[in-house]
Amino acid sequence: MNQHPEAIAPHGGQLVNRIATPEQKAEILSQVHTLPRVQLDARSLSDLEMIAIGGFSPLTGFMTQEDYTPVVKEMRLANGLPWSIPITLSVTPEIANPLQEGTLIGLDNPKGQLIGTLQLTQKYTYDKTQEAIKVYRTDDPKHPGVQVVYNQGTVNLAGDIWLLQRNPHPQFPTYQIDPAASRQKFKDKNWKTIVGFQTRNPIHRAHEYIQKCALETVDGLFLHPLVGATKEDDIPADVRMRCYEILLSHYYPQDRVILAINPAAMRYAGPREAIFHALVRKNYGCTHFIVGRDHAGVGDYYGTYDAQHIFDQFHPSELGIVPMKFEHAFYCTRTKQMATTKTSPSKPEERIHLSGTKVREMLRRGELPPPEFSRPEVATELAQAMEIQTPG
């Protein structure tokens, strides 16, 4: 049943909330000295948070084997609902062996502080190589997502979780807009159609172009940069957020864009992660989702438009969110504007292709990206940040 008649239903029909009430928190803390404890890494911590706030609805905890297996093999939960990325808590046998199924486990953050609990219903082993090949389409240990799988423990702990309390984000508290809150904001603005945009890079002109094309056909844009764990060479979240603020204040209509952080970790799973990102934005209340060139890709592991083709494997009603597929945008030197091959009469040599990678390379060489790449204010911000981070 759709509990949210004002907007698109969350995935599975109901928005999950696994944040402990004050009474539940007091009860858990009364047992704190007797609970066995498991320490989470940065990605598991993000996953815990996303489950608790409903970003991963309908998940209420870390996946059981009954859900894990069909997700890896068929991109579906045990009940048949589309889901493309396994959400698991993987530990070593040394950590798993003393833990008893049916008991409550304390979950600690990387600093060793108790932040949540897991009702341990199941412990199971899994095939790392199969997960890598199915989810990431490669078993190459150099792939950042595969690397995480190969480095994590061999036993998955499954069960429902509780987050003890929702703390303000240490860097971006004003942009911490959880799914229940984003849905309310869309309702307050009377937005019926909302397009979500995923990014882990500073926004360049190609991003701006496709966002504004999408804005021509929907009521609002939900700009939702990911601020969870990313690769070491990705530009830091605080720099990216300043770039978004600069862009929004100068180049976007103020009343048609909401900027919020996505606390999830990056998987770099390409096509599968495109589906995953769309379902997460559906939970935040988006009706549409932008899928551009090589969405969530890394290196040369995925075809340019594989992340768009994968949506054709599902009936639109199953996903419940509309993918807006965009071709690779470029700056056309003939028409002096952003375009794609659908709208530009240019020849290949008249096209300036942009990418976050190119921008990073230019900045590392001490070059300012030209206005065809980035808005001047954004380029300056990036250059200053890179100078601060570059040794010497």
Side-chain angles (χ1 to χ4, degrees):
M1 179 184 160
N2 181 4
Q3 303 286 325
H4 301 260
E6 79 284 356
I8 188 172
H11 201 46
Q14 194 158 4
L15 196 65
V16 166
N17 177 3
R18 303 294 295 183
I19 302 170
T21 63
E23 294 76 23
Q24 287 170 321
K25 182 181 175 183
E27 170 63 23
I28 290 165
L29 291 178
S30 72
Q31 308 172 52
V32 68
H33 297 300
T34 60
L35 292 182
R37 307 273 277 272
V38 170
Q39 191 168 79
L40 305 180
D41 60 16
R43 188 163 97 172
S44 299
L45 182 61
S46 285
D47 289 346
L48 173 74
E49 214 176 299
M50 289 297 286
I51 295 165
I53 64 176
F56 287 173
S57 297
L59 304 189
T60 53
F62 290 103
M63 284 182 177
T64 62
Q65 193 165 18
E66 289 72 23
D67 277 328
Y68 170 85
T69 301
V71 163
V72 169
K73 291 182 176 176
E74 302 152 24
M75 295 192 288
R76 292 182 184 275
L77 296 167
N79 64 6
L81 204 63
W83 194 270
S84 55
I85 298 283
I87 305 296
T88 56
L89 176 54
S90 305
V91 299
T92 62
E94 291 75 23
I95 292 171
N97 288 341
L99 303 176
Q100 299 295 312
E101 291 180 356
T103 59
L104 193 66
I105 311 294
L107 300 177
D108 291 353
N109 66 16
K111 295 178 182 174
Q113 300 160 327
L114 181 73
I115 49 149
T117 61
L118 170 74
Q119 187 64 47
L120 184 62
T121 56
Q122 194 182 50
K123 300 186 286 186
Y124 62 97
T125 56
Y126 64 103
D127 185 331
K128 289 188 177 188
T129 306
Q130 183 185 61
E131 181 174 326
I133 290 169
K134 288 286 190 182
V135 176
Y136 298 97
R137 298 190 180 184
T138 178
D139 57 0
D140 182 356
K142 294 189 183 72
H143 183 291
V146 173
Q147 200 171 71
V148 170
V149 174
Y150 286 176
N151 289 342
Q152 67 193 17
T154 56
V155 182
N156 286 342
L157 305 180
D160 286 351
I161 60 92
W162 287 104
L163 183 68
L164 288 191
Q165 66 185 50
R166 185 76 172 118
N167 295 319
H169 192 279
Q171 286 178 287
F172 317 112
T174 57
Y175 294 114
Q176 182 173 279
I177 303 170
D178 291 345
S182 58
R183 287 173 165 272
Q184 187 60 49
K185 281 181 176 289
F186 301 158
K187 185 180 179 183
D188 292 346
K189 287 178 171 287
N190 201 28
W191 289 356
K192 298 291 191 292
T193 51
I194 305 100
V195 64
F197 185 82
Q198 150 71 29
T199 172
R200 70 176 196 269
N201 286 312
I203 291 180
H204 50 65
R205 293 289 298 277
H207 293 147
E208 183 184 335
Y209 173 73
I210 62 176
Q211 287 169 13
K212 288 179 174 175
C213 285
L215 257 180
E216 292 286 359
T217 63
V218 297
D219 297 332
L221 168 67
F222 189 54
L223 181 55
H224 206 209
L226 182 144
V227 299
T230 58
K231 294 191 283 89
E232 283 185 9
D233 63 342
D234 280 349
I235 287 175
D238 59 327
V239 178
R240 290 185 278 126
M241 289 298 287
R242 285 201 300 276
C243 292
Y244 304 144
E245 289 172 335
I246 290 166
L247 258 183
L248 293 182
S249 64
H250 290 88
Y251 298 105
Y252 284 71
Q254 298 295 300
D255 60 341
R256 297 195 60 218
V257 186
I258 292 174
L259 173 64
I261 55 170
N262 173 14
M266 194 70 200
R267 259 81 179 178
Y268 304 96
R272 284 226 188 188
E273 196 160 13
I275 296 286
F276 180 59
H277 283 161
L279 295 177
V280 168
R281 276 29 179 250
K282 174 186 175 183
N283 286 328
Y284 275 84
C286 295
T287 56
H288 295 69
F289 183 66
I290 292 171
V291 187
R293 178 189 64 88
D294 195 25
H295 184 103
V298 62
D300 299 318
Y301 292 102
Y302 311 110
T304 307
Y305 296 109
D306 284 358
Q308 296 182 359
H309 301 324
I310 196 170
F311 281 83
D312 300 333
Q313 296 181 34
F314 298 92
H315 192 278
S317 64
E318 289 188 296
L319 295 177
I321 184 168
V322 180
M324 299 183 83
K325 302 174 182 180
F326 285 93
E327 291 203 3
H328 192 186
F330 50 80
Y331 185 83
C332 171
T333 58
R334 188 190 298 193
T335 59
K336 300 288 190 289
Q337 60 189 12
M338 297 301 303
T340 71
T341 53
K342 287 184 174 179
T343 56
S344 169
S346 59
K347 296 173 182 172
E349 61 270 19
E350 297 174 295
R351 300 168 188 170
I352 300 174
H353 285 283
L354 330 174
S355 75
T357 306
K358 279 186 182 176
V359 169
R360 286 197 298 272
E361 288 170 356
M362 292 185 79
L363 290 167
R364 287 197 185 97
R365 292 197 300 266
E367 298 172 24
L368 211 59
E372 295 85 1
F373 265 53
S374 295
R375 296 290 189 181
E377 302 92 332
V378 172
T380 302
E381 180 66 39
L382 286 170
Q384 288 172 348
M386 293 296 279
E387 279 176 17
I388 291 165
Q389 292 164 46
T390 304

